[in-house]
Amino acid sequence: MTTTSPPRVLLVPGFWLGAWAWDDLLPRLRAAGLDPVALTLPGLEPDAPDRGAVTLEDHVRAIEDAIAAAPEGARVVLVAHSGAAVPATVALDRHVDAVDHVVWVDTAPVVDGYAMAPDITGDEHPLSAQWDDELEGGSMRGLSEDQLAVFRERAVPQPAGTMRDAVALGDERRLDVPMTLVATAFTGAEYRSYAEEGASFLAGLLEYRALEIVDLPTGHWPMWSEPERLAQVVADAAQG
C-alpha cells in the first residue's frame, strides 16, 4: 500500500518522566520528515491523583491506543526508553502487524513472565530513591547541572504497580520485528555479555532475531545529553 503519510514515531519515556522528556528530540525528528508523538503514560502526569492504582496494563493500553491512532498506512516506529521497555514489549507482542520497527533507548525487550521489581512495596517509587546510585554509577554522564536540576524538578514518582506486575507474551512473531538497540550507558558488547551471564532484564537480547545494536556512548538519558545523535539513529530506523 502506498502512503504519503510520514512515519509515525511513538516516543515512550522511562521511569519518572512524561512526554516533556522528548522535547529536544521532537523538532529534530520533524526536520527529518517524521511524525513524532511523545507519550505521558498513566500515573506520570504531574497531578496524577492515585498512582497506587496504576498498573502495568494501564501503561500497555496507553501505548496500544497510540499505535491504533497512527494514520492509516503510515509506518509505526515505537521508541522505548529504559523501564518503558516493559509495557512496550507487551504492546509489540499484541500488535506485531502494526509496528514496523522498535528502537530501544538504553534498554532491551523483555521476556515472558518478567517483572521489573516484583517485591517492591508501597504505591510509588520516587526518583530520590535512586538518585545517588544513578549519579555515582555514571548513568547521568553528559548531563549539565541545569539538566540535572530540571530532571529533579519535573520527575514524578513511578507507579509501583508498573514495576511489580509481570508481563504475559504470546506472539512469537515479535521476535522477528526489526529493532535497534541504542547502547549508551554500556556498550552493545557489554549488554550482550550481561545477557549471556543471566541478567534477567536483558534476557530478550538472546531471543530477538532482527536486532541491531548501535553504540552511542553517553549516559542513560541520551535524549538530553545527545539529542542530535539519538534523533539520527531514530530517523535512520524510521526511514529504513
Side-chain angles (χ1 to χ4, degrees):
M1 177 179 179
T2 301
T3 177
T4 57
S5 298
R8 169 63 59 91
V9 179
L10 303 177
L11 301 158
V12 191
F15 285 4
W16 312 300
L17 306 175
W20 62 271
W22 302 103
D23 284 353
D24 289 344
L25 231 64
L26 292 174
R28 292 173 166 87
L29 296 178
R30 294 190 186 107
L34 306 176
D35 176 24
V37 175
L39 306 187
T40 296
L41 296 177
L44 277 301
E45 309 91 345
D47 56 351
D50 186 7
R51 292 191 176 93
V54 178
T55 65
L56 176 61
E57 180 64 18
D58 293 325
H59 282 193
V60 174
R61 288 178 179 172
I63 299 172
E64 288 185 288
D65 289 345
I67 293 171
E72 183 176 359
R75 296 185 76 243
V76 174
V77 178
L78 181 59
V79 180
H81 170 250
S82 192
V86 180
T89 302
V90 181
L92 169 66
D93 182 71
R94 295 179 185 177
H95 301 277
V96 171
D97 293 326
V99 177
D100 292 274
H101 201 110
V102 185
V103 179
W104 308 102
V105 181
D106 211 38
T107 192
V110 298
V111 297
D112 186 42
Y114 176 82
M116 178 72 74
D119 298 325
I120 193 171
T121 59
D123 292 339
E124 303 177 343
H125 181 64
L127 173 61
S128 58
Q130 283 185 223
W131 182 269
D132 290 343
D133 288 343
E134 298 286 354
L135 190 62
E136 294 169 8
S139 292
M140 296 178 180
R141 286 194 308 273
L143 299 183
S144 68
E145 290 301 321
D146 286 345
Q147 288 173 321
L148 290 171
V150 170
F151 189 8
R152 298 190 78 155
E153 177 185 352
R154 300 196 66 175
V156 300
Q158 183 73 18
T162 67
M163 304 169 65
R164 193 163 42 233
D165 298 344
V167 307
L169 306 173
D171 191 341
E172 290 197 357
R173 293 180 302 155
R174 72 185 181 280
L175 303 178
D176 293 306
V177 174
M179 299 179 172
T180 303
L181 190 160
V182 188
T184 65
F186 300 95
T187 67
E190 288 172 326
Y191 259 126
R192 287 203 179 277
S193 175
Y194 298 148
E196 291 166 356
E197 291 169 7
S200 59
F201 183 68
L202 301 175
L205 294 183
L206 307 179
E207 292 188 348
Y208 286 77
R209 296 184 281 259
L211 189 149
E212 174 190 10
I213 297 180
V214 175
D215 284 335
L216 198 170
T218 184
H220 186 58
W221 288 272
M223 65 278 278
W224 303 332
S225 59
E226 290 283 359
E228 190 71 38
R229 294 173 66 193
L230 179 59
Q232 186 60 59
V233 174
V234 172
D236 289 344
Q239 293 165 340

